[in-house]
Amino acid sequence: MLETERHAPGHPISQEVMVAVLERCDQTREFMVQMWLQNPELARQAGARIAELLSPLSQKSAT
C-alpha cells in the first residue's frame, strides 16, 4: 500500500511523501517531453500548446 493511501483526508502529508510525488511528476513530465521530441507527428497531434512548449525559445521571443 502506498504511504499516501494510509493518510486520511485532512491529515498532513509528510515531506518525504510530497517530495516522492513531485519527483514522480517530474519523471512523467520528462518522459512526455522526450516522447514528443522523438515523435514530431505525435507532438503535432497533441495540439498548438504542446508545439509552443517544444519550440525553441528564440522562436517564442520573435513572435
Side-chain angles (χ1 to χ4, degrees):
M1 178 185 296
L2 294 175
E3 186 171 339
T4 55
E5 293 175 356
R6 289 185 261 159
H7 292 286
H11 285 77
I13 298 173
S14 71
Q15 181 176 353
E16 292 80 18
V17 170
M18 194 58 174
V19 168
V21 169
L22 291 172
E23 286 176 358
R24 180 68 176 151
C25 290
D26 193 45
Q27 291 170 357
T28 302
R29 180 197 56 79
E30 183 60 31
F31 169 79
M32 296 301 290
V33 167
Q34 289 304 315
M35 186 175 61
W36 286 324
L37 288 173
Q38 293 172 15
N39 188 343
E41 183 58 34
L42 181 62
R44 279 191 286 278
Q45 292 175 5
R49 179 69 176 136
I50 297 302
E52 179 186 340
L53 290 171
L54 294 175
S55 65
L57 289 176
S58 59
Q59 288 181 359
K60 289 181 184 179
S61 62
T63 56

